[in-house]
Amino acid sequence: RTLTSANAVAFTDDGLEVAFVAGGDLWVMDTELREPKRVTNTPHDETSPVFAPDGKSIFFVSEKGGKTDIFQAKRSNEKRPWFLNSSFVVEQVTKDGEYKYGLSFSPEGSKLAYIQGRGNLMVADADGKNPKEVIKSWNAPSYDWSPDGKWFLVDFNPE
């Protein structure tokens, strides 16, 4: 099987490595040699990859077991770049099974935000623990963090 497109992408802060979803799985590669390495190999879809602010992990959403939760992938060898690792450690972060997408970290990296359910804006600690509902909505908004990470710009009609 040859994959020719990706539907979600995230870059490291230096722009030299990329995480992306292709064929429903999470992949990583560098932006020069472009030799992708598969992080997940599952029968369910992964979406919404985002590098943690420290670059040591990738958070993403997976539909494992028919439920949608946030997972975290780490390199087996942290001393090597993502694309030079041949295996990865994947851990489940949330366990509520609610539909999630649109992961993003606050500018200073202390919080993780995402949309849950039909449109609730959630904020959790950077490790994905202690989620709190910020906005309850039936209409999924687009959102962005303020530069100081204390506020959100929320648009309920993003077109």
Side-chain angles (χ1 to χ4, degrees):
R1 176 171 112 170
T2 302
L3 302 174
T4 58
S5 64
N7 61 359
V9 65
F11 289 89
T12 54
D13 283 343
D14 61 11
L16 296 177
E17 294 183 275
V18 59
F20 60 93
V21 175
D25 289 319
L26 181 66
W27 299 73
V28 291
M29 73 177 184
D30 75 321
T31 55
E32 292 188 23
L33 297 176
R34 298 183 184 151
E35 297 174 0
K37 297 285 174 106
R38 188 183 300 223
V39 177
T40 63
N41 187 6
T42 64
H44 32 270
D45 288 339
E46 277 79 49
T47 61
S48 300
V50 62
F51 281 95
D54 63 7
K56 293 182 179 180
S57 61
I58 301 169
F59 284 75
F60 62 96
V61 174
S62 178
E63 296 177 359
K64 184 177 181 179
K67 296 182 178 182
T68 307
D69 279 301
I70 298 172
F71 287 74
Q72 179 182 29
K74 295 181 181 178
R75 297 170 285 191
S76 290
N77 183 347
E78 278 194 25
K79 294 180 180 179
R80 301 188 81 189
W82 282 93
F83 73 99
L84 291 178
N85 273 264
S86 57
S87 63
F88 303 89
V89 177
V90 177
E91 301 170 340
Q92 189 169 351
V93 175
T94 63
K95 296 182 182 185
D96 57 25
E98 293 277 338
Y99 179 70
K100 298 170 191 66
Y101 68 95
L103 308 179
S104 71
F105 281 94
S106 60
E108 80 290 345
S110 67
K111 299 290 182 185
L112 174 67
Y114 54 94
I115 303 297
Q116 179 173 292
R118 298 188 73 176
N120 301 335
L121 178 59
M122 306 293 289
V123 175
D125 296 337
D127 61 2
K129 307 293 185 207
N130 303 313
K132 292 182 175 64
E133 187 176 81
V134 176
I135 296 174
K136 185 174 184 74
S137 177
W138 57 268
N139 182 21
S142 64
Y143 73 93
D144 202 358
W145 291 91
S146 66
D148 64 4
K150 295 180 180 179
W151 303 95
F152 288 104
L153 171 64
V154 179
D155 184 356
F156 287 97
N157 191 11
E159 294 180 26

